[in-house]
């Protein structure tokens, strides 16, 4: 058994329609199963935290949830758009923060009226206003992580998936992240991170992933 | 202009590339029309200009690769439920850049920087040899090899030495009863009908038992050279030729999930085959002939659009020979490719 469910996900369900439903999702990498089948459900406004150590399948889980990896076992259903904070973000380094977010804002399938927060609000959420006209490639690791977060929050996705969002953030960045999560009334937020790295208070614990026995 | 489109245009064509394209056009004009350097040929100029859309094709391929490394495909999957925004913007951007490149190609001529000698005065038409058959029944069968411009005409030399009819009664006519009167000592000039130009084959018949003999070796096809003012139309033809290729590039990249540079290479191969003029040549046997036959089969499956890319020394013969149906078919192929490119990407393999 590779996954230890510390609390039933269903206990977090509220009355509204689920934004994310995961049923018997099996994860494997290189033909090897990472965790036991997972069940999870999140509705709008809900938050959840999943702990997992190195190699426990956190990133594979998140990438499967946002359609970047195919579902090989079980079922994943989500409603609306996803904001994803990858652990290792990739950016067009030659673009300025504002230009890049403007383009992503345009890419959003949501009608213009519903695309809140817009670019300046997303920059403001993570105190990036002073870097709005800096090329992304010139940002430090911590500011790039803030861009990673701002990118996910842009255009009000219905589901926010944060893979180790605390990476490289200073205390002020952590505070901005906490504030942003608390202000996300509409979005459901799911965070994966190792235990004890500063994410423990960001959301209620849903379950804990453990690495395969032989890993 | 929307930020996505603006971003794509800026990324594909930064100022360094704009300068490169402008210099390339100036060089093309110099090599084509310069008083001492130039070949004084519109076909040469069109050949040089046609290189730029191909460069653009590879440039867009490399930008697509770079954007893939920058995580754009992930952002598209996350943000766009139906996945058509990015490819549509890329297609529109490609069309704008293609149009701008070809407009740039008009600049040296329109600005008067390089006044193009007008070769269309009729003094220097192109004369092309072709196959003439004689089936022994006094039918003159002409095979022009392929579609020829509607403005072309046949110049025939007739030997009167064994004629049994007087010049007043001599007539050469086609099956649709169009006719011309041959005059001793003069070339017989036959203006091609639209159907004859399209098919590239025709049959003429002199009076029965007239004794008029066709000098096959002296038969010529005369094609007036397109005038200087044909340049916008010929560049528009290039636009129509290249536009679907950009959609095909996007389809390879997005639907086929092939790297951008390889997608550009595959598209370039299709372009080369589509631009290949077919002529009746016995290919023989052997591996090279088998490959050539395969290319011919692929070519036959594509719409006949080689006339849209009329360039080089044979451009006079190819220009304005593309049937409207061929153009429609080619554009529809591009439309199909664009539709494939806008289909949502499936998740990559784990």
């Amino acid at each position: 058994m590779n996954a230890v469910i510390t609390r039933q996900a269903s206990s977090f369900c509220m009355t509204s329609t689920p934004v994310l439903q995961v049923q018997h999702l099996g994860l494997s990498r290189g033909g090897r199963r990472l965790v036991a089948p997972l069940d999870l459900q999140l509705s709008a406004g809900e938050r959840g935290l999943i702990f997992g150590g190195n190699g426990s399948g956190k990133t594979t889980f998140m990438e499967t949830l946002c359609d970047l990896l195919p579902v090989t076992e079980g079922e994943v259903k989500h409603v609306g758009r996803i904001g994803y904070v990858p652990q290792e973000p990739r950016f067009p380094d030659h673009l300025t923060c504002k230009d890049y977010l403007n383009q992503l804002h345009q890419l959003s399938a949501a009608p213009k009226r519903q695309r809140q927060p817009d670019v300046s609000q997303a920059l403001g959420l993570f105190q990036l206003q002073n870097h709005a006209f800096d090329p992304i490639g010139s940002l430090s690791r911590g500011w790039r992580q803030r861009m990673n977060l701002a990118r996910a929050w842009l255009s009000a996705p219905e589901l926010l998936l944060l893979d180790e969002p605390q990476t490289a953030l200073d205390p002020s960045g952590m505070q901005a992240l906490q504030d942003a999560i608390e202000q996300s009334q509409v979005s459901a937020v799911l965070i994966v991170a190792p235990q004890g790295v500063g994410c423990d208070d960001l959301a209620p614990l849903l379950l804990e992933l453990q690495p395969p026995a032989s890993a | 202009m929307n930020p996505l489109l603006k971003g794509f245009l800026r990324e594909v064509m930064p100022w360094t590339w704009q300068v490169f394209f402008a210099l390339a056009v100036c060089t093309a004009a110099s090599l084509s029309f310069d008083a001492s350097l130039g070949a004084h040929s519109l076909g040469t100029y069109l050949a040089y200009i046609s290189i730029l859309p191909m460069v653009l094709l590879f440039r867009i391929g490399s930008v697509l690769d770079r954007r893939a490394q920058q995580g754009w495909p992930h952002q598209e999957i996350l943000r766009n439920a139906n996945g058509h925004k990015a490819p549509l913007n890329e297609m529109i951007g490609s069309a704008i850049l293609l149009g701008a490149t070809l407009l740039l190609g008009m600049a040296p001529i329109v600005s008067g920087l390089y006044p193009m000698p007008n070769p269309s005065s009729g003094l220097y038409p192109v004369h092309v040899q072709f196959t003439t058959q004689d089936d022994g029944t006094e039918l003159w069968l002409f095979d022009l090899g392929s579609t020829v411009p509607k403005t072309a005409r046949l110049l025939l030399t007739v030997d009167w030495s064994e004629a049994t009819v007087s010049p007043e009664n001599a007539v050469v006519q086609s099956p649709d009863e169009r006719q011309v009167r041959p005059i001793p000592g003069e070339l017989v000039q036959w203006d091609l009908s639209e159907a004859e130009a399209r098919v590239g084959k025709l049959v003429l018949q002199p009076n029965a038992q007239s004794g008029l003999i066709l000098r096959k070796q002296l038969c010529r096809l005369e094609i007036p050279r397109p005038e200087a003012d044909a340049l916008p139309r010929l560049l528009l033809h290039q636009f129509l030729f290249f536009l679907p290729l950009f959609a095909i590039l996007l389809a390879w990249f997005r639907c086929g999930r092939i790297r951008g540079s390889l997608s550009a290479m595959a598209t370039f191969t299709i372009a080369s085959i589509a631009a290949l003029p077919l002529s009746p040549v016995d290919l023989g046997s052997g591996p090279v002939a088998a490959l050539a036959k395969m290319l011919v089969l692929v070519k036959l499956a594509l719409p006949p659009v080689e006339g849209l890319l009329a360039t080089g020394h044979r451009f006079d013969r190819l220009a304005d020979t593309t049937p409207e149906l061929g153009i429609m078919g080619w554009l529809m192929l591009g439309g199909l490719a664009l539709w494939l490119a806008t289909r949502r990407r499936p998740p990559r393999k784990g």
Side-chain angles (χ1 to χ4, degrees):
Chain A
M1 184 71 153
N2 295 322
V4 179
I5 299 178
T6 56
R7 209 179 299 183
Q8 283 299 318
S10 58
S11 65
F12 289 89
C13 290
M14 296 166 82
T15 49
S16 55
T17 315
V19 175
L20 173 68
Q21 269 187 307
V22 177
Q23 291 175 334
H24 306 297
L25 178 66
L27 299 177
S28 53
R29 191 166 47 213
R32 190 161 160 192
R33 170 164 286 205
L34 292 174
V35 293
L38 296 168
D39 292 283
L40 187 70
Q41 186 168 306
L42 278 179
S43 299
E46 282 189 308
R47 283 171 278 161
L49 175 64
I50 296 176
F51 279 147
N54 293 342
S56 60
K58 298 187 298 296
T59 300
T60 306
F61 176 59
M62 290 302 234
E63 290 193 348
T64 307
L65 293 190
C66 52
D67 293 345
L68 299 180
L69 287 177
V71 178
T72 51
E73 184 185 340
E75 197 175 15
V76 174
K77 285 183 194 169
H78 53 74
V79 179
R81 301 173 308 282
I82 297 175
Y84 176 47
V85 175
Q87 193 182 358
E88 290 173 4
R90 287 182 291 170
F91 294 107
D93 287 341
H94 63 289
L95 291 182
T96 66
C97 298
K98 191 165 185 182
D99 275 350
Y100 180 50
L101 292 185
N102 267 328
Q103 291 191 38
L104 291 183
H105 199 47
Q106 180 70 29
L107 196 58
S108 173
K112 273 189 177 169
R113 292 188 305 278
Q114 295 172 20
R115 290 188 215 159
Q116 297 291 331
D118 62 16
V119 172
S120 21
Q121 287 168 329
L123 287 170
L125 268 177
F126 298 96
Q127 290 120 32
L128 278 157
Q129 302 95 322
N130 292 337
H131 295 284
F133 296 100
D134 293 342
I136 300 172
S138 70
L139 298 180
S140 70
R141 177 74 184 87
W143 287 106
R144 280 171 78 87
Q145 179 63 3
R146 290 185 191 225
M147 258 304 284
N148 192 14
L149 292 163
R151 176 172 74 174
W153 252 264
L154 184 72
S155 315
E158 280 82 358
L159 175 63
L160 279 163
L161 301 172
L162 316 183
D163 188 353
E164 302 198 25
Q166 85 295 338
T167 308
L169 289 182
D170 58 11
S172 115
M174 280 302 290
Q175 186 58 49
L177 172 62
Q178 194 159 3
D179 292 346
I181 290 174
E182 280 169 10
Q183 286 169 26
S184 300
Q185 295 301 320
V186 180
S187 306
V189 182
L190 183 64
I191 303 167
V192 295
Q195 195 167 7
V197 293
C199 291
D200 306 20
D201 299 328
L202 292 177
L205 184 64
L206 288 184
L207 52 92
E208 187 174 339
L209 306 174
Q210 286 186 348
S214 59
Chain B
M1 192 184 288
N2 86 57
L4 266 180
L5 182 55
K6 200 158 69 179
F8 180 76
L9 293 176
R10 276 185 184 167
E11 194 162 357
V12 174
M13 200 55 67
W15 71 267
T16 44
W17 279 84
Q18 292 174 28
V19 170
F20 167 70
F21 268 47
L23 286 176
V25 167
C26 289
T27 308
S30 281
L31 292 174
S32 304
F33 305 126
D34 186 84
S36 48
L37 273 178
H40 298 275
S41 157
L42 184 56
T44 305
Y45 183 64
L46 287 168
Y48 287 132
I49 290 297
S50 71
I51 295 171
L52 293 182
M54 294 178 208
V55 172
L56 188 61
L57 194 77
F58 280 92
R59 170 77 188 143
I60 289 177
S62 75
V63 166
L64 290 175
D65 271 342
R66 197 166 73 183
R67 287 167 81 93
Q69 286 164 5
Q70 292 165 350
W72 283 98
H74 286 183
Q75 293 301 322
E76 286 174 32
I77 291 171
L78 294 171
R79 288 166 197 282
N80 197 349
N82 47 23
H84 68 267
K85 274 195 175 181
L88 277 185
N89 274 291
E90 285 162 0
M91 186 64 214
I92 294 169
S94 303
I96 290 173
L97 290 173
L98 175 63
T101 301
L102 295 175
L103 276 178
L104 186 68
M106 280 173 57
I109 314 300
V110 173
S111 66
L113 195 63
Y114 288 96
M116 195 182 77
N118 189 346
S120 64
S121 57
L123 292 174
Y124 309 109
V126 183
H127 290 108
V128 185
Q129 276 188 296
F130 54 91
T131 317
T132 313
Q133 293 168 349
D134 186 351
D135 72 346
T137 58
E138 294 192 333
L139 282 180
W140 300 344
L141 308 175
F142 304 100
D143 187 349
L144 309 178
S146 61
T147 305
V148 296
K150 296 167 200 165
T151 48
R153 62 179 177 179
L154 291 183
L155 300 181
L156 309 176
T157 304
V158 175
D159 185 346
W160 289 79
S161 59
E162 295 178 27
T164 56
V165 290
S166 60
E168 299 83 48
N169 296 327
V171 165
V172 174
Q173 65 177 16
S174 62
D176 60 359
E177 296 188 350
R178 285 188 307 129
Q179 51 182 239
V180 64
R181 288 193 177 277
I183 299 168
E186 289 186 15
L187 290 170
V188 176
Q189 300 186 358
W190 182 265
D191 293 320
L192 296 181
S193 70
E194 201 166 313
E196 288 166 345
R198 188 178 63 247
V199 177
K201 288 180 181 168
L202 68 152
V203 180
L204 296 179
Q205 186 175 27
N207 309 55
Q209 308 296 323
S210 61
L212 295 180
I213 299 168
L214 181 68
R215 289 287 171 210
K216 294 181 211 168
Q217 295 82 358
L218 299 177
C219 291
R220 293 290 184 272
L221 179 69
E222 186 185 78
I223 304 171
R225 291 179 188 271
E227 298 186 19
D229 60 10
L231 183 63
R233 189 179 74 250
L234 297 171
L235 289 175
L236 175 66
H237 287 178
Q238 287 205 7
F239 181 82
L240 294 174
F241 180 80
F242 282 107
L243 188 65
L245 292 173
F246 287 94
I248 292 170
L249 166 69
L250 293 178
W252 281 122
F253 177 72
R254 292 180 164 275
C255 197
R257 303 174 77 87
I258 300 171
R259 285 185 52 152
S261 42
L262 285 177
S263 301
M265 193 77 81
T267 309
F268 180 70
T269 306
I270 292 176
S272 305
I273 295 173
L276 195 69
L278 282 184
S279 46
V281 177
D282 182 17
L283 295 169
S285 59
V288 176
L291 179 67
K293 281 173 187 167
M294 195 181 74
L295 289 179
V296 168
L297 284 178
V298 176
K299 161 71 186 165
L300 289 174
L302 293 171
V305 288
E306 62 273 12
L308 292 180
L309 195 66
T311 57
H313 67 278
R314 59 187 173 82
F315 108 101
D316 311 85
R317 176 156 186 177
L318 280 175
D320 298 320
T321 59
T322 311
E324 283 80 4
L325 268 178
I327 297 175
M328 291 297 292
W330 185 240
L331 292 178
M332 280 170 67
L333 188 68
L336 176 68
L338 184 60
W339 176 76
L340 286 172
T342 54
R343 291 180 68 198
R344 193 188 157 110
R345 284 179 178 213
R348 63 185 157 88
K349 295 281 183 291

